[in-house]
Amino acid sequence: MSNTETLVFVGDSLTQAGDWASWFPDDDVVNLGVGGDTVADLTERIGDVIAARPDSVVLMIGTNDVGARRSVEQVVRGIENLMVVMRRELPGTRLLLQSIAPRQAEFAARIKDANRHLRQFSSTVRAQYLDLWPALAGDDDALRPEFSDDGVHLTAAGYEAWLAELRPGLERLRDEPPMSRPLTVIDSSYEID
């Protein structure tokens, strides 16, 4: 029996530029990253995610919203709404919500605030949360210069740093049973001494 899963990556240009199929060759990978996407853009195309009927969804969105000066509340509520829709429409799918990636230092406080809210929210929709901030941000809270040429998009080294966090994150995600699978109760007698 094959262990191949349908693994859907969803997000903006950071996701779109990833070579997910070669990085996860044992899975049926679908890359639904679209350059320039905001939370609102992804909300409009959420049907594509649902139509893929994935075993697991890996989501990262929000940096373009922050760059467009949308409020933390707008960004967080939009992502929360996306997660609720995915959970409702894909009850058996494992969800991995990744933190909004760091970018230029001027955006750090707002991104960190949004990520704090998203981390707290993720468990309410039975999603796992993967914090990429420690791996990608420098001491000044900006995206590390060796990981980007423009302060937003990732270099090969940036993707390697992301993958170093994502691979174990996906292993933990896959250790979880699908969300709609009923629990098995073992009926065995035991004695208490």
Side-chain angles (χ1 to χ4, degrees):
M1 178 196 257
S2 173
N3 289 334
T4 299
E5 292 191 355
T6 299
L7 180 59
V8 173
F9 289 86
V10 185
D12 50 39
S13 60
L14 296 175
T15 299
Q16 182 183 31
D19 192 7
W20 308 112
S22 70
W23 294 332
F24 296 95
D26 296 332
D27 293 302
D28 179 15
V29 172
V30 179
N31 185 343
L32 294 178
V34 174
D37 251 15
T38 63
V39 174
D41 295 326
L42 181 53
T43 300
E44 289 180 12
R45 63 184 185 88
I46 194 66
D48 296 342
V49 178
I50 294 162
R53 291 290 172 211
D55 295 293
S56 299
V57 170
V58 179
L59 172 65
M60 180 197 283
I61 193 77
T63 192
N64 292 322
D65 296 89
V66 172
R69 310 278 183 207
R70 290 189 179 86
S71 72
V72 169
E73 183 177 3
Q74 282 178 303
V75 176
V76 169
R77 286 183 187 257
I79 295 171
E80 288 174 350
N81 182 60
L82 284 167
M83 298 296 290
V84 167
V85 169
M86 282 191 279
R87 177 51 65 220
R88 183 182 67 232
E89 298 297 323
L90 299 167
T93 297
R94 296 175 185 96
L95 302 176
L96 180 64
L97 175 60
Q98 300 170 102
S99 60
I100 300 170
R103 50 185 297 155
Q104 299 93 343
E106 67 184 283
F107 299 103
R110 292 176 50 235
I111 293 173
K112 289 169 83 173
D113 190 24
N115 284 339
R116 189 170 31 258
H117 290 289
L118 294 172
R119 177 193 296 269
Q120 293 169 350
F121 175 78
S122 61
S123 64
T124 66
V125 290
R126 298 183 316 256
Q128 288 194 26
Y129 182 81
L130 180 60
D131 186 4
L132 297 172
W133 195 270
L136 299 178
D139 292 337
D140 61 353
D141 281 339
L143 183 57
R144 293 181 189 197
E146 66 269 26
F147 294 161
S148 179
D149 294 327
D150 63 2
V152 178
H153 299 96
L154 297 176
T155 61
Y159 279 101
E160 283 303 317
W162 182 358
L163 285 167
E165 300 298 316
L166 181 57
R167 284 188 173 113
L170 277 173
E171 286 177 22
R172 287 188 301 275
L173 184 72
R174 289 175 173 174
D175 285 343
E176 294 294 316
M179 295 302 133
S180 63
R181 184 164 67 185
L183 294 175
T184 303
V185 178
I186 299 172
D187 185 19
S188 62
S189 59
Y190 60 94
E191 294 181 20
I192 300 175
D193 292 330

